[in-house]
Amino acid sequence: MFERIPHDRSFSGWVPFIRRRWIRIAPPYLWAGAFCLPLVAFPALHVGKWADVSTLDPRVIGSHLLLFHNLIPTHATKIDYPMWSIGLEWQLYLLFH
């Protein structure tokens, strides 16, 4: 009923796969981060779970840019609280392809 599609698990197939995933994930992720980062300057917006986003340093920004912020509990909810899931998605792509 279903035809099996051959899957190339070699390194030559891995690089294009990661590149395609990066092109799909990175633009909206980076735009959302660029939008949320300046909002840290407005204390009136720091309510509920968003109260943790106010403390930033270069390590937090770097971990977000490299998409491993969800592995560091103190960085996971900075900049934009729901972004932890994008880091996890990226790591799953790296792990399971």
Side-chain angles (χ1 to χ4, degrees):
M1 176 173 213
F2 294 103
E3 182 180 334
R4 187 174 179 111
I5 299 172
H7 184 69
D8 181 15
R9 289 202 178 262
S10 67
F11 186 73
S12 63
W14 185 79
V15 172
F17 172 78
I18 292 299
R19 186 178 311 128
R20 286 190 314 269
R21 297 300 94 204
W22 178 255
I23 290 169
R24 184 180 70 80
I25 293 172
Y29 173 79
L30 295 173
W31 277 110
F35 176 78
C36 290
L37 197 55
L39 297 178
V40 171
F42 298 98
L45 300 175
H46 303 167
V47 294
K49 291 189 180 269
W50 294 96
D52 285 341
V53 302
S54 61
T55 314
L56 293 179
D57 62 44
R59 293 177 298 169
V60 170
I61 295 170
S63 68
H64 274 76
L65 290 174
L66 295 173
L67 294 168
F68 68 84
H69 57 282
N70 63 311
L71 300 176
I72 306 168
T74 58
H75 295 186
T77 58
K78 304 294 182 184
I79 300 177
D80 186 3
Y81 185 78
M83 282 189 174
W84 67 267
S85 65
I86 304 300
L88 177 62
E89 179 181 359
W90 182 250
Q91 292 150 18
L92 290 172
Y93 282 138
L94 294 174
L95 184 64
F96 288 113
H97 180 72

